[in-house]
Amino acid sequence: MAAEYDNLRYIKLQDAEITELIADEEKRQRESIRLIASENYVSKAVMDATGSVLTNKYSEGYAGKRYYLGQRNVDAIETIAIERAKQLFGAEHVNVQPYSGSPANLEVYYALANPGDTIMGMSLPHGGHLTHGWKVSFSANYYNAVQYPVCEKTHLIDFDKVVELAREYKPKLIWCGASAYPREIDFSRFAEIANEVGAKLVADIAHIAGLVAAGVHKSPFPFSDAVTTTTHKSLRGPRGAMIMCKEEVAKKIDKAVFPALQGGPHNHTTAAMAVAFKEALTPDFKEYGKRVVENAKVLAEELLAKGFGLVTGGTDNHLILIDMTSKNTSGKIMATAMETAGIVCNANSVPFDKRKPFDPSGIRIGTCATTTRGLGVNDMKKLAGWIDKISESIDDENVLKSIRKEVLEMCAANPIPDSFVNHGE
Ligand SMILES: *Cc1c(COP(=O)(O)O)cnc(C)c1O
């Protein structure tokens, strides 16, 4: 027990309540299988940077042009983070200061469009993100948002419709990239359309950044004017985000981040990004990316064989969307039963969903976290078997309990790793 509490030694001395909750969260993460497609486990090195003294420092501005003194180390750290990101993605310019994915997207809007301008993005119930123009987001309130769909039959992005809408509405910005789309994004096709109508193309690769870095998904460069990404999903870094862009919009992007929309950057996060990018530059990370996709493909095949309806009929990336109407239940009921068995995912709308967004038909699962944990194709087969059993015994506490026991065994056999690099020990 003592070892688990080590990183909490000071909190423990003064705040029993929060200590207890963090410790229980450690246990929850250790003892459950994480299928939430946007989540991962970072290394202890990334965790160390996140918990470092850098949290004490204010650094408004950019390296060499700060408003406060005392920036010798922060300037060096931010510069290293930027250089590593450039190397990882082949970007011309990088800003690592955005606080998270949604602010990064807001900053791109601020830099490249004016309030009231027309913008285009993928509809949220079809896989897009809130910030791509969905009605409850700033992106639909401050801009004239046009939403493109997936094809009703194939669930693939309906490029005929994208072209038609782009020609009709002449958007200033076109967003591509998604939060719940299991297939590869064809950046070059989007770029053709954006070029034709004079729009800037922004790729939001939040979900797939790790796959792009590992070379198992097409790169958004050179097709995109700007690329945003979170750093905490498949990229396996701290919670944060960055904007990468072409040199010609670099000044506008930097000014949008600071001083237009943010103050001081989160330097502890910047350092943790630098550490994570170093990890992502290793051959092991390429291997990781390959295994993420391989695991997802096996999991999808197994689920299909058991009669689950999958959006688009499978996956090319880390993510699978299951339509639970194929098993006569809803996404929420299924996700709740899975959690009882120790397998954590989220309920999710499927394209053309007949149910409400808060009580949708599907569940979304992904293999980034399980792959980090070292699970392989045989484990995916086991997982598919459990998911199938759960769907058939949703109200049967005993079945859920017996799966819970097996899940605990799988977790114990595959501890969350502390590190992804060889320390030569
Ligand atoms: C996760 C995600 C974001 C938002 O990231 P936050 O850090 O949660 O604000 C933006 N875009 C896409 C496509 C995402 O999947």
Side-chain angles (χ1 to χ4, degrees):
M1 218 44 197
E4 289 149 30
Y5 279 79
D6 257 356
N7 57 337
L8 302 178
R9 61 190 181 278
Y10 288 101
I11 308 177
K12 219 171 47 168
L13 295 174
Q14 67 192 53
D15 195 331
E17 222 176 340
I18 294 298
T19 303
E20 212 37 61
L21 292 167
I22 297 176
D24 187 55
E25 177 61 15
E26 279 188 9
K27 180 173 150 70
R28 189 191 69 79
Q29 294 192 14
R30 192 169 59 243
E31 295 183 347
S32 56
I33 294 288
R34 171 173 281 189
L35 287 182
I36 294 179
S38 50
E39 292 183 352
N40 213 330
Y41 309 98
V42 299
S43 67
K44 288 278 194 284
V46 167
M47 213 68 103
D48 278 355
T50 307
S52 71
V53 294
L54 290 160
T55 199
N56 299 334
K57 185 71 196 116
Y58 241 110
S59 315
E60 285 173 334
Y62 293 102
K65 287 169 286 187
R66 308 277 188 190
Y67 288 77
Y68 304 169
L69 280 290
Q71 307 293 355
R72 143 174 119 220
N73 301 307
V74 167
D75 275 7
I77 287 165
E78 192 171 316
T79 303
I80 291 169
I82 289 167
E83 286 311 314
R84 288 179 184 167
K86 282 183 179 173
Q87 210 183 325
L88 209 46
F89 292 97
E92 288 175 21
H93 181 82
V94 180
N95 187 311
V96 292
Q97 295 190 5
Y99 299 140
S100 211
S102 303
N105 288 355
L106 173 59
E107 285 147 10
V108 168
Y109 279 101
Y110 190 92
L112 305 180
N114 292 309
D117 281 350
T118 298
I119 63 98
M120 233 172 91
M122 191 176 187
S123 161
L124 176 111
H126 290 204
H129 190 257
L130 281 163
T131 54
H132 299 178
W134 186 240
K135 56 195 173 198
V136 297
S137 148
F138 76 87
S139 57
N141 288 309
Y142 293 172
Y143 302 91
N144 174 37
V146 176
Q147 300 266 275
Y148 59 82
V150 296
C151 179
E152 188 151 9
K153 249 202 188 130
T154 61
H155 298 150
L156 300 175
I157 291 169
D158 188 343
F159 277 106
D160 291 341
K161 201 79 192 165
V162 178
V163 173
E164 189 187 312
L165 290 169
R167 285 180 184 156
E168 184 178 348
Y169 291 99
K170 299 261 180 312
K172 193 113 171 242
L173 289 186
I174 297 178
W175 289 84
C176 63
S179 297
Y181 187 68
R183 298 294 177 176
E184 195 157 38
I185 304 291
D186 188 347
F187 300 113
S188 68
R189 186 98 171 79
F190 274 106
E192 273 171 34
I193 297 166
N195 279 340
E196 186 196 315
V197 301
K200 289 238 181 328
L201 181 66
V202 190
D204 178 348
I205 61 168
H207 259 264
I208 53 169
L211 305 184
V212 171
V216 293
H217 188 294
K218 282 188 199 112
S219 169
F221 293 112
F223 308 106
S224 317
D225 296 285
V227 176
T228 62
T229 185
T230 53
T231 47
H232 49 269
K233 298 181 184 175
S234 57
L235 195 49
R236 209 159 65 182
R239 296 203 88 77
M242 62 181 163
I243 304 171
M244 303 179 272
C245 64
K246 294 198 168 151
E247 204 53 60
E248 62 190 68
V249 294
K251 276 216 172 72
K252 280 187 182 169
I253 293 287
D254 283 353
K255 282 186 180 158
V257 175
F258 176 84
L261 288 157
Q262 294 191 175
H266 293 179
N267 300 313
H268 54 303
T269 301
T270 308
M273 278 185 198
V275 172
F277 297 163
K278 188 171 182 183
E279 291 171 358
L281 281 163
T282 62
D284 282 353
F285 193 82
K286 288 206 159 55
E287 222 15 73
Y288 166 68
K290 266 189 219 146
R291 275 189 282 125
V292 165
V293 176
E294 184 186 29
N295 278 340
K297 280 189 186 292
V298 170
L299 188 51
E301 278 160 23
E302 293 284 315
L303 291 168
L304 281 173
K306 294 181 191 319
F308 285 87
L310 305 188
V311 172
T312 77
T315 183
D316 293 331
N317 57 24
H318 63 298
L319 181 152
I320 300 165
L321 259 181
I322 311 178
D323 187 344
M324 290 310 302
T325 43
S326 59
K327 296 283 180 183
N328 301 313
T329 186
S330 78
K332 221 173 187 176
I333 293 172
M334 181 63 183
T336 307
M338 282 170 69
E339 191 183 26
T340 306
I343 304 171
V344 190
C345 71
N346 67 284
N348 211 99
S349 292
V350 297
F352 308 99
D353 207 327
K354 294 196 175 64
R355 304 178 70 96
K356 298 250 151 50
F358 200 67
D359 181 22
S361 297
I363 60 168
R364 186 187 68 163
I365 59 178
T367 53
C368 292
T370 48
T371 306
T372 292
R373 210 166 169 153
L375 303 192
V377 292
N378 286 330
D379 301 303
M380 295 302 124
K381 290 176 186 171
K382 265 194 213 166
L383 269 173
W386 293 334
I387 293 170
D388 188 34
K389 235 178 173 177
I390 294 166
S391 75
E392 275 162 12
S393 326
I394 262 177
D395 302 316
D396 191 331
E397 282 293 318
N398 288 329
V399 172
L400 300 185
K401 260 190 206 150
S402 85
I403 295 174
R404 177 81 188 107
K405 255 176 75 187
E406 291 186 78
V407 164
L408 278 174
E409 283 164 22
M410 183 183 271
C411 290
N414 298 276
I416 298 165
D418 289 341
S419 171
F420 310 119
V421 301
N422 189 348
H423 298 285
E425 287 155 356

